[in-house]
Amino acid sequence: MPSPFNRFTGTDRYLTNLALQAAVNCALALERPLLVKGEPGTGKTLLADAIATALGLPLLTWHVKSTTRAQDGLYVYDTVQRLHDSRFGDGDVKDVGHYIRWGQMGQAFRSKGRVVLLIDEVDKADLEFPNDLLHELDRMRFRVMETEEEIIAAERPVVVITSNNEKELPDAFLRRCVFHFIDFPDLELMKRIVRVHHPSLDESLVDQALEVFYQLRALTRLRKRPSTSELVDWLAVLQAAGIQNVKLEAQLPFVGALLKKEQDLEAFAEAAGARRARG
Amino acid sequence: MFVGFLYELRRRKVPVGAQEALALAQALGAGLHDSSLDGFYDVARALCVHTEAHLDAFDQAFLAHFKGIEEKGEALAEELLQWLREAAAKPPRDRTAEESAALDALDVAALQALFERRMREQRERHDGGDRWSGTRGTSPFGSAGKAVAPAGFRVEGEGGGRSALKTADARLYRGYRDDQVLDTRAMGMALRKLRAFTREGGPTSWTWTAPSTPRRGTRASWRWCSGRLADPTHGCCCSSTWGAR
């Protein structure tokens, strides 16, 4: 008998497939973090947003940078401010708790209700960063050394972690997570996604644009293939410019919205030229 | 039940262990797989595969372990229906507790009709089309050890998704494997494709230079050879360099 928790089925702005729903529901039921990987632009970050909307929970986002340390996510003890106040200010310097700045993970644990915590692009930080998070993610508690306080999460937050595959993640971290790889959408799903973002766009323009898009993706010499978000932007531009017809040719309108690298633009120009020469 | 499947995964170098087994048991216990093979495929993939390099190995293991299960599922369904019919035919005082509970929960005639409709649909799909039969909703048959699931059959509406076996068969994640070594045969096949170039707009000559001395700054044991594809119409359009030991 399925347990009575709220199942995730996507929202009206974020379309999902059954595999993604299964992965999210596993993460919710087993209370494990969900690790999402996929090509850039396939909607990994938006997934956390969709989960928060679907479950009606607040979303806390932690954008990891290359300089981030795991401790920063929990809390930071602002010693400089305390020193400054002790010399110049009038704050209550004796109360150390006043100078503890909570990071996103610390806020998630301290929150009274359940929250969704998104740890975005975890592979940007250093190699030891995911390992440093392991203990806290497992036990959902941490200790503030300065005030000798132990913060225990009243309700386990829903943790969504995204990775762009720039670095290998440690095995111990991977095995604690539920994994999902977001495939690049096929034509049918892409049409539905486009419909969600541009409901008033002309059907024939959408079909032609999708054909051009998938033909571009099939070019083997591209270093960075165009992704879903670029397609949506390109369609917005085409609509704004009032263009009715597109096909794959050298003079593709607003090709800079799809291809971002110079080598790709050159490769595309050559491929388009070769097509014209052939056919 | 699925421990054999986990060992199949281990044979293909997917690192699963007790943690995955327990998580999978917990997930199945919570009914996250909707009592269907496709659901099991999704749940098992979410819990047992930790990186996209193992997705292909998972597909291979799934095919090896579960191929042919639909025929066995049908046979099991027949057996169940037979058992129910026999139980219904007995006078009430002769039935066992299990039989009475089953007959209370399910309506045998409705089940029979549903089963026949499913068989007809499967046969149509096999004949007509390019799809494997969807096996969602065969919950009473799949749960070994328990005779009947109280909810009975569930027939899947059209979800537009492929069945698990067909997805596994398609081997969509072959490109993400990280254990394929570029061997002589693969190199040979790649070079053979160059023979397909013709005069019509394609490059006309392929020149190899293979210097015997190593390049400055590289290891002494490496040899470099380079190739140039020359095309008079467009100028030189491809040039590559290979290093080999």
Side-chain angles (χ1 to χ4, degrees), chain B residues 133-183:
Chain B
S133 55
T135 51
R136 289 201 102 115
T138 54
S139 71
F141 319 132
S143 42
K146 266 204 330 210
V148 177
F153 291 61
R154 244 168 300 161
V155 177
E156 171 73 1
E158 270 321 288
R162 298 157 114 177
S163 87
L165 281 166
K166 192 176 184 204
T167 315
D169 209 18
R171 303 277 301 274
L172 302 161
Y173 302 105
R174 218 191 295 234
Y176 293 105
R177 292 190 82 111
D178 61 356
D179 56 355
Q180 306 283 18
V181 177
L182 198 63
D183 57 357

Side-chain angles (χ1 to χ4, degrees), chain B:
Chain B
M1 300 164 280
F2 53 79
V3 176
F5 176 55
L6 290 179
Y7 276 99
E8 192 69 48
L9 283 172
R10 281 187 75 88
R11 238 170 272 144
R12 286 174 174 68
K13 307 275 188 297
V14 180
V16 292
Q19 209 175 19
E20 284 77 16
L22 289 172
L24 197 48
Q26 208 181 339
L28 297 180
L32 293 172
H33 60 307
D34 287 332
S35 302
S36 72
L37 189 63
D38 300 344
F40 176 78
Y41 175 82
D42 292 331
V43 167
R45 200 172 75 170
L47 292 174
C48 297
V49 175
H50 299 292
T51 164
E52 67 273 17
H54 297 145
L55 284 170
D56 191 45
F58 179 87
D59 277 345
Q60 285 180 308
F62 192 83
L63 272 179
H65 196 75
F66 288 107
K67 205 156 192 152
I69 201 171
E70 279 133 353
E71 289 83 24
K72 295 201 183 111
E74 286 166 23
L76 206 49
E78 283 281 9
E79 221 179 285
L80 175 69
L81 275 172
Q82 187 59 28
W83 179 79
L84 280 173
R85 268 183 241 124
E86 281 170 12
K90 284 195 221 169
R93 62 173 179 280
D94 283 349
R95 294 180 197 149
T96 65
E98 271 178 6
E99 288 168 349
S100 315
L103 287 170
D104 285 337
L106 304 168
D107 174 8
V108 183
L111 276 182
Q112 178 75 33
L114 209 55
F115 181 61
E116 275 163 14
R117 194 177 102 204
R118 168 97 57 73
M119 295 308 299
R120 222 180 18 249
E121 279 170 12
Q122 281 184 0
R123 263 175 237 123
E124 276 166 15
R125 285 188 215 168
H126 274 305
D127 301 334
D130 52 355
R131 282 195 295 157
W132 292 55
S133 55
T135 51
R136 289 201 102 115
T138 54
S139 71
F141 319 132
S143 42
K146 266 204 330 210
V148 177
F153 291 61
R154 244 168 300 161
V155 177
E156 171 73 1
E158 270 321 288
R162 298 157 114 177
S163 87
L165 281 166
K166 192 176 184 204
T167 315
D169 209 18
R171 303 277 301 274
L172 302 161
Y173 302 105
R174 218 191 295 234
Y176 293 105
R177 292 190 82 111
D178 61 356
D179 56 355
Q180 306 283 18
V181 177
L182 198 63
D183 57 357
T184 330
R185 183 176 165 270
M187 278 290 283
M189 282 181 59
L191 290 174
R192 222 171 284 148
K193 286 197 180 168
L194 294 175
R195 290 195 206 148
F197 280 115
T198 64
R199 282 213 168 260
E200 208 183 299
T204 52
S205 65
W206 174 255
T207 333
W208 280 93
T209 49
S212 58
T213 51
R215 272 202 200 159
R216 195 154 43 113
T218 64
R219 293 162 71 139
S221 57
W222 284 61
R223 291 287 175 269
W224 295 84
C225 60
S226 60
R228 230 151 217 258
L229 217 42
D231 178 3
T233 326
H234 294 107
C236 177
C237 71
C238 173
S239 141
S240 318
T241 316
W242 281 271
R245 271 181 260 220

